[in-house]
């Protein structure tokens, strides 16, 4: 069956540009997570949705980062006024709400020049 | 809060040899434990998980891990590796709460299998 998909797979942005990263979770999955993976590091939690409710956004590094999931399915992570330190792979994961079963997408590699 | 330490950033091993990837964690609450594998340009795939019960957990691709509460460890092992096991391996932990909680990952161990 279809897994988690993310688009675009690669994004190059000039410093100061806004970007929007899309995540299509597995159909019917209630929970959705965003993680940021810097080069050579493990993924780090950004934010978490249960259906359309954003239950935890404690990992968002600054107020330039914003995420939404308005209809409880597709989610968008938006980064305003991108900075070089935002360069990373952004991973989305969805879960049917059973412990541990987070299914990851392939990620979006963002490069800020 | 939880943290995860993967003691080896890189592990080279010859094909058909055994391998152990080490993982230690720290937490003030009880935890669930996971190992994920990441192949180049792909997302993370769950190898195995420990939720409760037997401390020896078997996963996909012949991997297994043992939860040791006293040593706060969850080391990953495979008795005989293949070239196709070459990848990045991440240990992760989440707090034992009701419902879904975010995963806290280690920095990863790059396993390189040599022919």
């Amino acid at each position: 069956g279809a897994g988690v998909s993310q688009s675009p797979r690669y994004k190059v942005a000039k410093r100061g540009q806004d970007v929007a990263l899309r995540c299509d979770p597995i159909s019917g999955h209630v929970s959705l997570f965003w993680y940021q993976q810097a080069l050579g590091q493990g993924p780090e939690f950004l934010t978490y949705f249960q259906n359309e409710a954003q239950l935890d956004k404690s990992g968002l590094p600054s107020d330039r980062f914003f995420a939404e999931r308005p209809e409880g399915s597709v989610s968008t992570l938006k980064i305003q006024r991108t900075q070089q330190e935002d360069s990373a792979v952004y991973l989305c994961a969805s879960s049917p709400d059973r412990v541990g079963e987070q299914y990851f997408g392939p990620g979006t590699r963002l490069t800020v020049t | 809060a939880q943290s995860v330490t993967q003691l080896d950033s890189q592990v080279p091993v010859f094909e058909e040899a055994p391998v152990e990837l080490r993982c230690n964690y720290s937490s003030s609450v009880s935890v669930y434990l996971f190992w994920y594998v990441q192949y180049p340009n792909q997302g993370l795939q769950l190898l195995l998980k420990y939720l409760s019960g037997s401390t020896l957990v078997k996963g996909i691709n012949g991997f297994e891990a043992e939860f040791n509460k006293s040593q706060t460890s969850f080391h990953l092992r495979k008795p005989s590796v293949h070239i196709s096991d070459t990848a990045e391996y991440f240990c992760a932990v989440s707090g034992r709460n009701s419902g879904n909680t975010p995963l806290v990952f280690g920095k990863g161990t790059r396993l390189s299998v040599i022919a």
Side-chain angles (χ1 to χ4, degrees), chain A residues 45-49 54-62 65-67, chain B residues 102:
Chain A
F45 168 72
L46 292 176
T47 187
Y48 161 53
F49 290 86
Q54 189 173 20
L55 298 187
D56 188 346
K57 54 181 181 180
S58 61
L60 296 176
S62 77
F65 286 70
F66 171 76

Side-chain angles (χ1 to χ4, degrees), chain A residues 9-10 31 33 35 37 40-43 45 48 56 91 95-102 104-106 109, chain B residues 32 34 36 38 41-46 49 51 88 90 94 97 99-108:
Chain A
R9 289 293 313 278
Y10 303 91
S31 299
F33 298 82
Y35 295 86
Q37 186 176 18
Q41 303 293 317
F45 168 72
Y48 161 53
D56 188 346
L91 295 166
S95 171
D97 216 23
R98 290 193 296 274
V99 175
E101 292 185 34
Q102 291 190 28
F104 282 81
R109 182 178 298 277
Chain B
Y32 302 120
F34 312 89
Y36 281 84
Q38 187 175 36
N41 298 316
Q42 294 187 29
L44 292 101
Q45 180 183 4
L46 181 67
K49 61 186 177 185
L51 304 182
E88 190 89 19
F90 293 95
S94 68
N97 300 323
N100 245 314
T101 55
L103 296 169
V104 176
F105 287 87
K107 291 187 176 182

Side-chain angles (χ1 to χ4, degrees), chain A residues 44-96:
Chain A
E44 292 190 355
F45 168 72
L46 292 176
T47 187
Y48 161 53
F49 290 86
Q50 186 163 330
N51 296 306
E52 68 277 6
Q54 189 173 20
L55 298 187
D56 188 346
K57 54 181 181 180
S58 61
L60 296 176
S62 77
D63 58 7
R64 297 186 294 104
F65 286 70
F66 171 76
E68 59 184 7
R69 193 186 186 197
E71 297 179 358
S73 178
V74 171
S75 177
T76 303
L77 177 66
K78 297 179 179 178
I79 309 173
Q80 298 177 325
R81 305 181 303 281
T82 52
Q83 304 294 314
Q84 279 197 315
E85 62 263 29
D86 301 335
S87 295
V89 176
Y90 291 86
L91 295 166
C92 173
S94 71
S95 171

Side-chain angles (χ1 to χ4, degrees), chain B residues 2-110:
Chain B
Q2 293 85 39
S3 67
V4 176
T5 301
Q6 291 185 243
L7 297 163
D8 305 296
S9 60
Q10 297 187 62
V11 173
V13 61
F14 286 103
E15 192 175 16
E16 298 184 5
V19 69
E20 179 179 79
L21 306 184
R22 297 179 293 169
C23 171
N24 287 86
Y25 69 93
S26 173
S27 177
S28 56
V29 300
S30 297
V31 297
Y32 302 120
L33 293 155
F34 312 89
W35 275 98
Y36 281 84
V37 60
Q38 187 175 36
Y39 299 101
N41 298 316
Q42 294 187 29
L44 292 101
Q45 180 183 4
L46 181 67
L47 273 178
L48 48 78
K49 61 186 177 185
Y50 171 77
L51 304 182
S52 64
S54 172
T55 56
L56 182 62
V57 179
K58 294 189 182 299
I60 62 171
N61 301 341
F63 284 93
E64 64 179 31
E66 186 155 19
F67 170 54
N68 188 319
K69 187 175 181 180
S70 62
Q71 296 187 4
T72 60
S73 68
F74 192 55
H75 301 333
L76 181 71
R77 296 191 289 261
K78 186 169 182 177
S80 175
V81 296
H82 302 289
I83 294 288
S84 59
D85 293 324
T86 294
E88 190 89 19
Y89 291 80
F90 293 95
C91 181
V93 64
S94 68
R96 191 181 281 268
N97 300 323
S98 58
N100 245 314
T101 55
L103 296 169
V104 176
F105 287 87
K107 291 187 176 182
T109 297
R110 180 171 298 279

Side-chain angles (χ1 to χ4, degrees), chain A residues 11-19 79-83:
Chain A
K11 176 70 179 177
V12 178
K14 291 186 177 178
R15 185 180 168 190
Q17 280 186 330
D18 299 347
V19 298
I79 309 173
Q80 298 177 325
R81 305 181 303 281
T82 52
Q83 304 294 314

